[in-house]
Structures are given as structure tokens and as C-alpha cells.
Amino acid sequence: MTSQAPYGTWPSPIDARTVAAHDGRPEFLGSVGEELWWTEPRPDEGGRRALLRCAADGQPATSVLPAPWNVRNRVIEYGGLPWAGAPRPRGGPLVVFTHFADERLYAFEPEARDAEPRPLTPLSDVTETGLRWCDPVVLPERGEVWCVLEEFTGEAPTELRRMLAAVPLDGSAAGDRTRVRELTGDGDRFVTGPRLAPEGDRAAWLAWDHPAMPWDGTRVMTARILDDGTLGTPHVVAGGPEESVAQAEFAQDGSLLVATDASGWWNLARVDVEAAEAAEAAEPGRGPTLPRVPLCPREEEFAGASWKIGQRWFAPLPGGLVAALHGRGAQRLGVLDPRTGELVDAAGPWTEWAASLAVVDSRVVGIAASPRTSYEIVELDTRTGHTVVLAARHEDHVDPSYYPEPQIRTFTGPDGRDIHAHLYPPHHPDRTAPEGELPPYAVWVHGGPTSRSPLVLDLEIAYFTSRGIGVAEVDYGGSTGYGRQYRNRLREQWGVVDVEDCAAVARTLAAEGTADPARLAIRGGSAGGWTSAASLTSPLAEGVYACAAISYPILDLAGWATGETHDFESQYLESLVGALAKVPGRYRERSPVNGAQRVAAPFVLLQGLDDVICPPVQCDRFLEEVKGRGVPHAYLAFEGEGHGFRRADTIVRAVEAELSLYSQTFGLAREDIPQLGLRP
């Protein structure tokens, strides 16, 4: 029976513990022979990533390494593909992986007697300097692992070099750095791991340099693999300063497939490698001159932003077909016939597929979710068209009638521009609000900012909507999924377009009677934390929000641009804001730390004390400026947490603190959460 209660006061079975227990998703799916392997989060085990194995015999997936093994790495700080494996005729598979605690590369033979991981690379001080590895390829026939090596040469986060390297599988480099072979020079600031041609005679990889980010401009490099195991002269065969190639992969026939945004959309194309290499060799330095052959030209994205090294949006199949993720906004799985351009989508309820595909014969396996299901390991048989869930099967841990019912909306922003968003109205099976009451809403700002919000079941969203607080996820200008032009809206406009777009969505919701104009909040982490804080200090959003939840944010642009962040994003502001030397005024005017006098709304600031991407010193600086201004606020700092929260206890505290902020600011009567201490 339905009863009435004010918005924001509804009871819900989705508590913060439930949210924390199901935070994160499977990642880095791959095949080892006919087996599937991937990583999964373990919030209740200190936030480690477990390595799972799903054998070909149909038995349930098993975790192959106990705690405290943590299959992650810190290459470019966001990490990269942390494992790879190869089947063997005897003795079972050989798998290599990186362990987060010491950043070493390990070999593991799960079917060996008394199987224990053995180190392949030297132990080093990974706090400030040392060696990091990612995106490996196991080559038993060569007795090596080829991968990305990130080597710090000094204490500053930008004192480092990156290259392709070959690590012996016999463990001889575990105590001797000189046994690691450097396959490329360190002339490229950033590289991805190698992709080898089917015949093993050529390698391809991506490279780019400061100040470009990988979604700005990358180069596809190829080189012959010589008889002595070294690489021949590298050639640039695709990409450029204004062309982003997100992935390059050899097809079974030896041709090179790329996901390039040369058309304004990340589309798939084929590169004639030999002709491109010959043309580049004839005119060194000119760059690629031969046209790529488009395989399925569409105003859709067949790739995304490379925040982690080793993501995979497409995967060639043995018979010549290509499994490909594609779409506007959300990405679905299709199978492409490159000869005809025909693209057939997989059947099933899944509306979002992660950038992680594996191929086993004619089968494609991916990680997929929907607004009613969490991420699952899903297999598509391309011969029959049948799909089946293999592992990580979704389970309803609460009554699904409490899940929100999302709406896909397009709002109108300044100058009539489109703003894409997902709307999650308050939803409860047994509660309605009194007639005439409008609900509170929180505008959720994704990180990145070159990223987007997936339209999938998120129990953290359900935590709020089931209590009577609506959520609006905004893919503001600069987000991925809508083409390069939409992405480029944020060029030199960070702190303007993102703030304007979020405010436009909030104002529209209030004007159309969807949300209570007096009870609007904004929240986000990382770049979303920046936009949330900037929205409290910018005249562009003045008076829109009643409060804000700000997590691990950027608050001081000048500090962030001059040594307070990691190497990968150390020059990101060149495109987001402009060159500091040329436009120092922008850095001052847009930084929340310099606009603290305009903060009038209560806020909570959440920060990991081990964060090297958005360091705690930025929060300290901002709080010092806010001090004594009479604005109620709270600061929660978490030891052992970095950029993004992974531990269950931290997630619980953060979720409950945000709800307490809303309850106190919006005047909601709740006694089921700890009271957040807001002090002026």
C-alpha cells in the first residue's frame, strides 16, 4: 500500500553498505586460449583488484590469487592493462601480472604444484621513483614479456621516461635491471603496449607527446621485428597532431585496423601498413599521407577516451569479422563485416558495453550492463547470434522495484547548444510525496572532464532516488560519446562551458516543475569536483545550488599546472584553459581557491590523503580561504585512499556524509545516518 511522505525522507533498503559492496565493475577482460580472465574489485578487502579465471569447461569463475595480491598498476597513475597470459601445451596457462603494492611484474602458473607468483622485475621505490609496467604481451616462444615500462628518473612526478621493453620470463631481471631490453627509445612521452601481427613479424603501438592528451592527437607506430628480437626503424602510419587514434590492432589477415577520429567521429578504418611505411620512409617527418579505408563510416563513436592504457573497443575475429562497440553516448556491441560495412548488433538487454573485449574462436566476450542490471561478463556467439551471461551475473540484492527509471534527455544551453543528460527522478514502490511538493535534485558531474556518464544500474544513484532525491547526470560540453566537435567545446573553456551546462540543466528542471528550485545540489569527483566547486564560486551559476558535495577536486589551476599533479595530466590545462604564460588571468579567475569569497552554499569536501593526481594541499588551500566566512562545511580526509575511493568503509562514510549534507540543507528529517558536522 502506498503512503505519503516528503521527498528525501523515504525509507530504503539500499543502504550505504550495499552501495559499497557493489562499487566498481569487472575490468581488463582477456582470453588465454579458451579461458577468460579479468579483474574485479574487492571493496571489503581494502579495495584490492582480484584476478579471476573462467575455464572453458563451464565451471564458475574463481579468484586465482588470495589477498593481499592486488592486480593493478600506477602507470600514468590511472593504470593500464595489468595482466596477460598465454596457453601452453603442457602445464596449463602462463600468466603475468602487476602487483599494486610494489609495482613489480610477476609470473604465475596456476596449475603448477605449490603455485606462487614469482617476480620478473626488480624491486624499486615506487613512492617517488622506480619502475612501473603495464599492457603486457606474453611471448613464450621468445621467453619474454613485451610491455610498457615507465621509469622514474628523479623525485618530481614529471621526471620519467616511457618506452616499450622486453622482460625475460626466466626471472633473471628480478634482481638485475640491465636484463630488461629496451625495444624503443624514450623519445615519445607516452606509449601503449605493442600489438603483434599474426605472423609475429611486425609490432604496432600508439604514441603521443605533451601537451596533447590521447583524445587530442596520437600517432600509430609500426616496426618490423628483426631476427634478433629487436625492433626495426619505427614508422608513423596513421594519426597526427589533430587526429586521435584510440586503438590499433592487427586483423587475422595481417592488415592494421585503427579507431580514428579523422572524420570527427572515432570510426574504424584499415591501414595499408607496407604502403604507409614506404611512403613515410621516402619522406621522413612528413607523417601519414596515404588515406585510410573507412570500414563503417557513421556519425557514431567506435572508441572513447584513453584514460587507461590497454582499453579495447574493437576486436578482430578469425574469419575477418570485427567485434566493435559503437553508438552515440552509450555504446553497444555489434559485429562488423569490413567487406560490406554491414554492422549487426548483439541481441539482449544490455545497453552499455565497457571498453574491454575478448575473442575466443567465433565468440566475442565483453562486459555489459543496463539500467536494470550491473556489469556482467557476456558472450556473443557470432555464428548463432546467441548471447549468454558467463560470469559476474547480476543479482538483485534488494527489491528491484526500488531501482530508478532513467530518462535520456537533451537540454538546451547557452547559444542554443545541446546538452546531453540522464535524468533519474525519485522512485519508490510504496511512497509518494504530498501533492504539490517538488523534489530535491542533485546534479552529478562526471570526472575527466573528457569522459561521460554510462546509463547503467548504479546503486549509489538508487540510494538517493529511492529516498526521494532525484539525480541528473550531465554529459556537459567536452564529454565523449558525441563526436569531436562536442568534445572540443571545452577547449580553453573549462570552468565556463561545464559550469554553464550543468547550471542550464538545473535551471531547466526547476523551470519546468521537475525539481524544487530551492533544493538543488551539485556533486562530483576529480574534474567533477572541480566543476562542483567552480559552480559555487562562478557568477555563471550564482544562486543555482543550495549545497555541494565535492570529492578529490582540482581547486587551484595555477598550482595544478606547476607541479601539483602527475605527468599524464601535467599539461592538460594547455587545452582546457590555455597556456599559463599567456593567460594567467584565466587561471586566477576560474580557480575556486581564488573565488572562495563568493561561496555561500554549504558543502562537504571529501579527499584521499594518498592522492597524487588531485593532492590534499589543494583542499587545504581552499579551506583556508573559506575559513571565517560563515559558510557551513565539513572536510573528510581518508588515509590510505588515493584518487577515487575503493575501500568499503570510505565509500560508506562518503555516501552517508553526502546524504547528511542534503538532509541538513534541504530540511529533511532523517535519523538513519550519522550527522555530518557542518561548521562555519
Side-chain angles (χ1 to χ4, degrees), residues 441-457:
Y441 258 82
V443 172
W444 282 32
V445 193
H446 65 69
T450 311
S451 185
R452 64 180 175 87
S453 300
L455 187 64
V456 299
L457 177 63

Side-chain angles (χ1 to χ4, degrees), residues 45-311:
E45 298 178 20
R48 79 179 185 101
R49 298 288 302 195
L51 184 61
L52 274 78
R53 176 189 188 186
C54 186
D57 58 7
Q59 294 297 311
T62 58
S63 177
V64 297
L65 294 168
W69 291 107
N70 189 355
V71 184
R72 285 177 57 205
N73 56 69
R74 287 180 56 185
V75 174
I76 69 168
E77 292 302 342
Y78 290 108
L81 180 65
W83 76 272
R88 297 183 297 178
R90 293 183 301 276
L94 171 65
V95 173
V96 300
F97 67 92
T98 55
H99 178 42
F100 187 73
D102 60 17
E103 290 296 319
R104 299 176 88 179
L105 192 65
Y106 287 81
F108 182 54
E109 301 171 64
E111 295 180 13
R113 180 178 297 177
D114 301 323
E116 286 289 336
R118 53 184 175 83
L120 298 179
T121 56
L123 185 64
S124 59
D125 179 6
V126 298
T127 305
E128 296 294 342
T129 62
L131 307 171
R132 300 174 182 174
W133 319 81
C134 83
D135 209 3
V137 177
V138 182
L139 304 172
E141 68 280 5
R142 295 184 179 275
E144 292 179 323
V145 183
W146 288 17
C147 58
V148 174
L149 165 58
E150 182 179 78
E151 182 173 27
F152 284 79
T153 57
E155 294 187 358
T158 55
E159 293 182 281
L160 49 73
R161 54 199 294 262
R162 298 184 184 91
M163 69 216 75
L164 298 185
V167 178
L169 281 169
D170 63 8
S172 58
D176 184 358
R177 165 68 175 83
T178 64
R179 295 301 303 273
V180 175
R181 291 195 305 122
E182 297 184 7
L183 297 170
T184 62
D186 54 10
D188 295 317
R189 191 64 171 188
F190 302 96
V191 293
T192 65
R195 299 295 177 261
L196 272 59
E199 297 300 322
D201 60 344
R202 186 180 265 113
W205 65 96
L206 304 181
W208 69 98
D209 297 299
H210 284 316
M213 300 298 286
W215 42 86
D216 295 326
T218 57
R219 302 182 301 281
V220 181
M221 313 295 296
T222 60
R224 289 192 176 276
I225 301 174
L226 306 180
D227 291 341
D228 62 357
T230 61
L231 293 182
T233 303
H235 297 280
V236 181
V237 299
E242 297 297 326
E243 178 186 354
S244 168
V245 178
Q247 182 184 341
E249 200 97 17
F250 284 102
Q252 292 298 312
D253 63 2
S255 62
L256 185 65
L257 307 182
V258 298
T260 168
D261 73 348
S263 69
W265 297 82
W266 274 304
N267 277 195
L268 300 185
R270 179 185 288 109
V271 176
D272 185 332
V273 175
E274 291 200 4
E277 287 181 345
E280 203 261 350
E283 296 185 72
R286 183 176 177 183
T289 58
L290 297 178
R292 274 83 71 192
V293 179
L295 301 184
C296 185
R298 294 188 179 191
E299 290 190 349
E300 293 184 5
E301 302 283 38
F302 284 71
S306 299
W307 281 100
K308 295 183 178 181
I309 294 173
Q311 292 177 294

